[in-house]
Amino acid sequence: MGAKTMSKRGAKHAQTPASSVPNAAEWFRLDNAAKIFPASSSEVSPEVFRVMVTLDEPVRIEALQRAVSRLAKRTPYYQVHLRRGLFWYYLERHNQDPHLHLLPDTPVSPIAIKRPQEPLYRVQVGDRRVAVDVSHILTDGYGAMRFLISVIAEYVRQIGQSVSSSPYLLDPDAEPSSGEFEDAYKRYYKHDQPNPPALSPAYHLPGIRAWRRYRTISGYMSVSAVRRVSKEKGVSITEYLCALYLEALAAVHAKQSHTRIKPRRSVMRLEIPVNVRRFYSTETMRNFSLFVSPEIDLRLGGYSFDEILRAVHHAMRTQLEEKQLARQIARNVGGELNPVTRVVPLFLKDIYLSYLHDRFGDNLYSGVISNLGPVDIPQDLRDRVSAVGFVLGPNPIIKKNLAVVSLGDELTLTFGSVIERRDLERTMFRTLVSHGVPVTVTERGT
C-alpha cells in the first residue's frame, strides 16, 4: 500500500524559515483530539483518511507541484513531523517541500507516523484526480478538504486561469493567522462540567477481517432526491442516512439471530463526528470535531423505519446542544490536564490510551458515519471540478464505516470495509432506491 514519489522537481524551491512565519514555533503540542492517535494507530488501523478531487482534464504535474509547495508554506501547522517526548508526543516544524506521489489503487495509504522524517499528509495524483491522505493527528475532514480545495484553486491559477477569492479558500500569499494554529478544545474547556453519560458496549457486525484487504463501495445519487425524502420525513439528510444505517444493522442482526453463532449484543449505536466550528467560533485548521451517538436497543423489540428516524432525530438534536457538547470537551480536556496524567511517562500513556481507545472507543459503536456536507467551491473553480471524494480509513473492530460528501447535486456515499460480506451496503442502497432515490454503485479494493 505504499506510494511512489512522482517527481523531485520543485523540491529545491526556496523555503520560508519557520521562525519568519507568525505564530509558527519550531514545535507545538498536539491538539486534544490528536493525542489518542499515536497510541491507537497501527498497520491495520492507521488513523488516516482521504479527501480527493477529480478535475475536468488530466493534471499538469509541474503546475500542481508549484501549487502544493505554495500551500505548504501557507499551512505551517501541517508541515510537521511527529516527535516523542518524555511525557507527550509533540509536532516539530520542518521546511521540506511535499513531493507528489502516484495515486495508488487503494482506498487509502498508510502513513508511518512514528518514522522520524515521515510527513503527516501525502498528496497523490493520477490522471485527472488529486487526493490527499491525511493523518488524523493533523486535522479533521473540514481542515483536510479546505486545504485540498485551496491547492486546486492555486493549481488553476498556476495554469493561467483566474479564481475568485472566497473565505473558504486559503490565500497562499497571506500569512497564517494565530487562530489557525489553535487547539480550540482548550479554548472552550469548562472545568466544572459533568462528564457525559457512560455508554454500554455495542453490537459489531459479524465477519472475519481479511488481512491487508480494505475495500470500498461508493453510491452516487442526487442531493435533491435525498433532501426531498428527508424533508418528507421531517429530518435532516444526516439523520435520514443514520436511520438507514441503523435499519440495515438491525437487518444483519436479525439474520445472525437465526444462525448458530448468535449476536452477543443488541444495542446498535453509531458514532457521528460533527464539525463543531458551527457552534464555537474559531479559525482552527486543526482537529475540532465532537461526536453524537444515536442508537436503538433491539432488546426492546423490533423497530419500524419511522421509529428509528424519531430516535435518531431526537438523539442528535439533544446531543448537539451546546451544553451537551461542553460536557464532551470537559471530559476530554480534563483528562489531559489532570496532574497525575501529565507526569506519567509516555510509554505508560501509550499502553493506557491504546486500552481506552479499544475498550471505550471502538467497542461502543456499531458503525461510523462522517458527513463532510457540501464542499464550498467558487463557481469559476467549480467549472473545473467534476467530482469530490471522501474515504475513511479501515477499522478492524467496527469493520465498516460510511463517508459522505456532496458537490452540487451529486451526493456520494462511500462505505469502507475490512470484511467480505456486503449485506449492510446492499440493504442501505436498496432502501434508498425503494424510497425513490436512484443510486449508481461502484466498487474498488486493495
Side-chain angles (χ1 to χ4, degrees):
M1 293 177 70
K4 298 179 181 178
T5 301
M6 276 202 73
S7 171
K8 292 188 177 180
R9 292 189 179 186
K12 296 183 180 180
H13 287 183
Q15 298 293 322
T16 304
S19 59
S20 70
V21 179
N23 310 301
E26 292 298 326
W27 69 274
F28 48 95
R29 294 181 173 88
L30 278 65
D31 64 63
N32 179 260
K35 282 184 163 59
I36 190 71
F37 297 122
S40 64
S41 180
S42 66
E43 185 178 6
V44 296
S45 183
E47 306 291 3
V48 173
F49 63 93
R50 174 177 292 176
V51 290
M52 53 191 165
V53 164
T54 304
L55 300 177
D56 63 341
E57 64 179 18
V59 176
R60 304 180 200 180
I61 301 301
E62 292 186 1
L64 181 61
Q65 179 66 72
R66 291 194 298 271
V68 170
S69 297
R70 281 174 56 74
L71 262 297
K73 297 178 181 68
R74 173 61 180 78
T75 53
Y77 32 81
Y78 296 159
Q79 271 192 294
V80 292
H81 300 307
L82 183 68
R83 291 287 184 261
R84 187 182 183 92
L86 180 60
F87 298 106
W88 294 106
Y89 291 96
Y90 63 95
L91 299 172
E92 184 178 73
R93 285 289 317 285
H94 67 80
N95 58 2
Q96 303 165 11
D97 257 356
H99 299 314
L100 300 182
H101 296 262
L102 288 171
L103 182 60
D105 189 24
T106 56
V108 293
S109 302
I111 294 175
I113 58 173
K114 295 181 183 178
R115 188 181 297 159
Q117 300 302 316
E118 184 79 357
L120 297 184
Y121 70 91
R122 183 179 297 127
V123 182
Q124 301 166 123
V125 59
D127 192 25
R128 297 187 299 125
R129 183 169 289 176
V130 181
V132 183
D133 287 358
V134 184
S135 168
H136 239 313
I137 290 171
L138 280 187
T139 189
D140 51 21
Y142 169 87
M145 184 62 82
R146 189 179 176 194
F147 172 79
L148 174 58
I149 298 301
S150 299
V151 166
I152 298 302
E154 179 58 21
Y155 164 76
V156 171
R157 296 186 194 103
Q158 289 291 328
I159 63 175
Q161 300 182 19
S162 62
V163 177
S164 301
S165 60
S166 163
Y168 182 74
L169 298 178
L170 298 168
D171 181 355
D173 293 319
E175 297 285 3
S177 71
S178 59
E180 292 174 32
F181 291 81
E182 180 180 48
D183 181 350
Y185 298 100
K186 287 188 176 177
R187 176 179 172 189
Y188 288 104
Y189 167 65
K190 299 176 183 177
H191 69 88
D192 56 350
Q193 300 295 299
N195 285 340
L199 300 177
S200 62
Y203 170 75
H204 288 149
L205 288 166
I208 299 173
R209 181 173 60 86
W211 178 248
R212 293 183 179 275
R213 183 158 175 78
Y214 184 55
R215 298 193 302 175
T216 60
I217 292 180
S218 295
Y220 305 91
M221 62 210 71
S222 164
V223 172
S224 55
V226 179
R227 182 179 294 117
R228 173 183 53 78
V229 176
S230 303
K231 189 173 181 180
E232 289 173 357
K233 298 290 187 179
V235 298
S236 70
I237 288 178
T238 299
E239 291 166 350
Y240 173 67
L241 294 176
C242 288
L244 290 175
Y245 201 121
L246 287 170
E247 183 185 48
L249 281 167
V252 176
H253 184 279
K255 288 181 183 178
Q256 188 183 358
S257 297
H258 292 93
T259 66
R260 191 163 50 87
I261 304 176
K262 302 190 183 305
R264 294 170 49 216
R265 299 167 183 163
S266 298
V267 174
M268 315 277 139
R269 184 183 299 116
L270 298 180
E271 182 180 55
I272 316 296
V274 177
N275 174 14
V276 289
R277 293 169 180 85
R278 60 193 178 102
F279 298 97
Y280 298 95
S281 177
T282 179
E283 298 178 84
T284 188
M285 287 291 288
R286 302 170 73 189
N287 287 293
F288 197 40
S289 298
L290 294 171
F291 299 91
V292 294
S293 307
E295 66 177 64
I296 57 174
D297 188 342
L298 297 184
R299 292 173 299 182
L300 302 175
Y303 285 75
S304 69
F305 183 67
D306 284 344
E307 286 178 314
I308 297 174
L309 268 178
R310 286 196 296 272
V312 169
H313 173 75
H314 293 298
M316 292 187 67
R317 297 298 167 97
T318 300
Q319 293 175 35
L320 281 174
E321 292 177 352
E322 194 276 334
K323 289 182 175 62
Q324 300 303 319
L325 297 175
R327 295 174 74 176
Q328 284 194 55
I329 295 175
R331 176 194 59 196
N332 298 346
V333 178
E336 175 189 343
L337 298 180
N338 184 297
V340 176
T341 302
R342 296 176 72 173
V343 299
V344 172
L346 184 56
F347 78 94
L348 291 177
K349 281 194 181 84
D350 277 346
I351 296 171
Y352 181 61
L353 289 174
S354 179
Y355 165 78
L356 287 181
H357 182 265
D358 291 344
R359 178 80 182 273
F360 301 106
D362 295 340
N363 196 43
L364 305 180
Y365 301 100
S366 311
V368 177
I369 299 181
S370 184
N371 186 358
L372 284 187
V375 178
D376 185 8
I377 303 180
Q379 187 57 45
D380 48 3
L381 181 60
R382 173 69 182 86
D383 295 338
R384 303 301 307 272
V385 175
S386 59
V388 295
F390 178 36
V391 183
L392 299 176
N395 185 303
I397 297 177
I398 297 177
K399 299 175 185 172
K400 288 187 188 289
N401 55 55
L402 176 59
V404 184
V405 68
S406 65
L407 179 67
D409 193 47
E410 182 174 79
L411 180 69
T412 303
L413 274 57
T414 299
F415 283 95
S417 177
V418 299
I419 57 177
E420 296 292 336
R421 60 186 303 160
R422 288 289 184 261
D423 42 354
L424 185 139
E425 296 93 316
R426 284 195 297 269
T427 298
M428 193 161 167
F429 288 143
R430 286 172 180 168
T431 304
L432 279 162
V433 172
S434 72
H435 289 180
V437 180
V439 180
T440 301
V441 178
T442 63
E443 181 173 2
R444 66 183 300 202
T446 57

